[in-house]
Amino acid sequence: IRDRDVTGVQTCALPIWRIIVMKRFKGLLVLLAVLALTICCIAGCGEEKENETAGSSEPEVHTIVDMAGREVTVPVQIDQAFPTSPVGTVMLYTMDPELLIGWNNELRQGKNKYIPSKYQDLPHLGGWYGKATCNTEELLKIKPDVIFSIGTINQMAVSQADKIQQQVDIPVIVISSDLDKMDKSYELLGKVLNREDRADELGTYCSEAFKDVQAKAKNITEGQQLKVYYAEGPEGLETEPKGGHTKVLDIVGGINVADVPMQGGYGRTPVSLEQILSWNPDVIISWNKGQGGYYEKILSDPRWKGISAVQEKRVYAVPGGPFNWFDRPPSVNRILGLKWLGNLLYPDVYKYDMSKETCEFYKKFYHYDLSPEEIDSLLKDCGGK
């Protein structure tokens, strides 16, 4: 079909079907353009939202529940920490000494032997134990990310933690130092410090060691139990009653002869030599020389010669360095003390190779490889080798 002009001459024109197709094609192009614009807008919005999400930082804090049931908000990233007492200092040191900002007290001679100098030189900041001696001014200059209150959990400990947290405006986390809860204590430490694998390693060791000692203790009959006196102080005339600071002795099956009242503060109940003579212990364990104890003189002091332990030469120094195995501070160091004292009192029941046990513990907990000479030095006056 062709169109004609007014003169009747045929003119060239597009076929109708092509006109229809072109119109429809133009409509399709418009539709596609609108659709593309819509997609771009959606994509743009999505990209903007995605960028906002990517640009938003991870939470800087999170809330944990400590072993006293307190909800405490702590930083996600912990770079520095401080314990309220030496009990917590030992545990924090075993986890990661790089986190420790200072000591609660001055390191005695012998303790520093197994601690690298860069940690020995940390400041002495005091703490909140016995008497509140913390140098809060120096503490706040360093401003640790978190403070750990590790020890016996009771209402006093909870109240003190709340008070410290309010005083210094640093989160305080309460953790148990009970020997049968060491695995849980390390688990919480690992969660707070982002060191779960390390915490699991130490906690598992403690749990297995404690259960093994408990199982062996059941084999000791009442008639086999030995009477033990714990000699504290520069003259050996201070001691502790059952429980608390002598928990290790109770667990391994020894009898604490000291029938004395519990002393507040630092403990160490004064006793007379007449009382010790009347108790007549089978074994005496004493503060070592590094602690300022009387160990070296008990065997030679004629005033003590009427005691069975002295007559049988069953007087031993408590191993120490960097931390006392039996007590002071009553922390994870007592796990090794359980094996030492059990083996010392009842070698037929607690058949531990103390050289091997000591070497393993120091490497795992104190980050220190003992030489054979150092092992001999640690166990020389302590029996149970």
Side-chain angles (χ1 to χ4, degrees):
I1 301 174
R2 292 183 179 276
D3 294 334
R4 297 177 182 271
D5 60 12
V6 292
T7 60
V9 179
Q10 289 185 342
T11 60
C12 183
L14 291 172
I16 294 175
W17 65 270
R18 290 184 66 184
I19 295 173
I20 295 172
V21 170
M22 288 179 67
K23 287 182 178 180
R24 289 183 178 178
F25 182 69
K26 288 180 181 179
L28 181 59
L29 286 176
V30 172
L31 180 61
L32 288 174
V34 172
L35 181 60
L37 181 61
T38 303
I39 292 174
C40 287
C41 290
I42 294 174
C45 293
E47 184 179 353
E48 182 179 354
K49 186 174 182 180
E50 183 179 342
N51 288 339
E52 289 176 358
T53 303
S56 62
S57 59
E58 292 294 323
E60 295 182 352
V61 297
H62 62 156
T63 300
I64 60 96
V65 178
D66 69 14
M67 294 181 75
R70 300 163 61 251
E71 290 189 353
V72 186
T73 300
V74 298
V76 172
Q77 179 65 36
I78 302 292
D79 298 313
Q80 298 183 118
F82 183 67
T84 62
S85 75
V87 177
T89 300
V90 175
M91 291 192 68
L92 182 58
Y93 184 85
T94 62
M95 277 290 293
D96 187 350
E98 291 290 333
L99 297 173
L100 187 64
I101 66 166
W103 302 98
N104 304 113
N105 50 20
E106 187 174 355
L107 294 176
R108 288 179 177 270
Q109 181 184 3
K111 281 187 176 182
N112 54 15
K113 183 177 180 180
Y114 306 100
I115 296 176
S117 58
K118 66 176 179 177
Y119 305 126
Q120 293 180 35
D121 295 336
L122 291 172
H124 306 140
L125 300 174
W128 293 270
Y129 62 102
K131 297 178 181 179
T133 61
C134 184
N135 188 335
T136 53
E137 184 178 345
E138 290 300 315
L139 177 71
L140 291 174
K141 285 180 182 178
I142 304 173
K143 191 74 173 178
D145 300 305
V146 67
I147 292 174
F148 291 107
S149 173
I150 302 179
T152 301
I153 298 179
N154 51 32
Q155 187 55 49
M156 183 181 296
V158 173
S159 176
Q160 184 189 60
D162 291 338
K163 184 177 179 180
I164 295 169
Q165 186 166 292
Q166 184 177 16
Q167 178 186 3
V168 298
D169 193 27
I170 299 172
V172 179
I173 298 173
V174 176
I175 295 178
S176 174
S177 64
D178 290 352
L179 288 168
D180 60 343
K181 295 184 177 70
M182 279 292 166
D183 54 340
K184 299 300 181 184
S185 298
Y186 271 114
E187 182 181 355
L188 181 55
L189 269 174
K191 181 179 179 181
V192 174
L193 300 174
N194 300 309
R195 286 160 174 78
E196 287 86 354
D197 290 344
R198 174 69 176 159
D200 182 65
E201 177 189 13
L202 301 184
T204 298
Y205 177 95
C206 291
S207 178
E208 291 177 353
F210 185 80
K211 289 176 182 177
D212 186 58
V213 168
Q214 274 191 317
K216 287 177 167 57
K218 293 177 181 178
N219 297 317
I220 301 167
T221 64
E222 186 175 340
Q224 293 175 314
Q225 288 183 291
L226 296 173
K227 297 183 299 177
V228 181
Y229 172 68
Y230 177 33
E232 297 181 287
E235 296 183 354
L237 298 179
E238 298 170 33
T239 194
E240 307 284 347
K242 183 177 180 179
H245 286 280
T246 63
K247 190 70 175 177
V248 168
L249 176 59
D250 303 334
I251 293 171
V252 301
I255 298 173
N256 183 357
V257 298
D259 183 14
V260 295
M262 185 75 72
Q263 191 86 345
Y266 291 102
R268 296 167 52 180
T269 304
V271 296
S272 67
L273 189 56
E274 287 71 28
Q275 284 177 292
I276 302 172
L277 286 165
S278 68
W279 293 329
N280 196 28
D282 302 307
V283 176
I284 294 174
I285 57 173
S286 171
W287 278 9
N288 57 57
K289 184 178 179 180
Q291 285 183 284
Y294 199 62
Y295 162 72
E296 293 183 320
K297 296 180 180 178
I298 290 177
L299 286 170
S300 60
D301 189 334
R303 298 178 302 162
W304 293 68
K305 67 180 181 181
I307 300 172
S308 293
V310 176
Q311 293 170 355
E312 299 296 326
K313 293 183 169 40
R314 300 199 69 180
V315 180
Y316 307 97
V318 175
F323 310 109
N324 183 300
W325 294 11
F326 181 74
D327 177 29
R328 302 192 183 282
S331 190
V332 67
N333 38 303
R334 296 178 297 167
I335 291 292
L336 182 58
L338 287 171
K339 294 183 176 183
W340 160 72
L341 189 59
N343 188 66
L344 176 69
L345 300 180
Y346 311 108
D348 293 335
V349 176
Y350 297 92
K351 298 179 180 180
Y352 295 120
D353 179 341
M354 286 312 301
S355 293
K356 180 181 177 182
E357 296 289 344
T358 302
C359 190
E360 179 184 0
F361 189 90
Y362 274 58
K363 183 179 182 64
K364 189 181 297 289
F365 285 82
Y366 299 151
H367 326 278
Y368 192 90
D369 289 311
L370 289 167
S371 68
E373 292 76 21
E374 288 172 328
I375 295 173
D376 290 341
S377 176
L378 281 165
L379 299 174
K380 181 180 66 172
D381 300 322
C382 310
K385 184 176 179 181

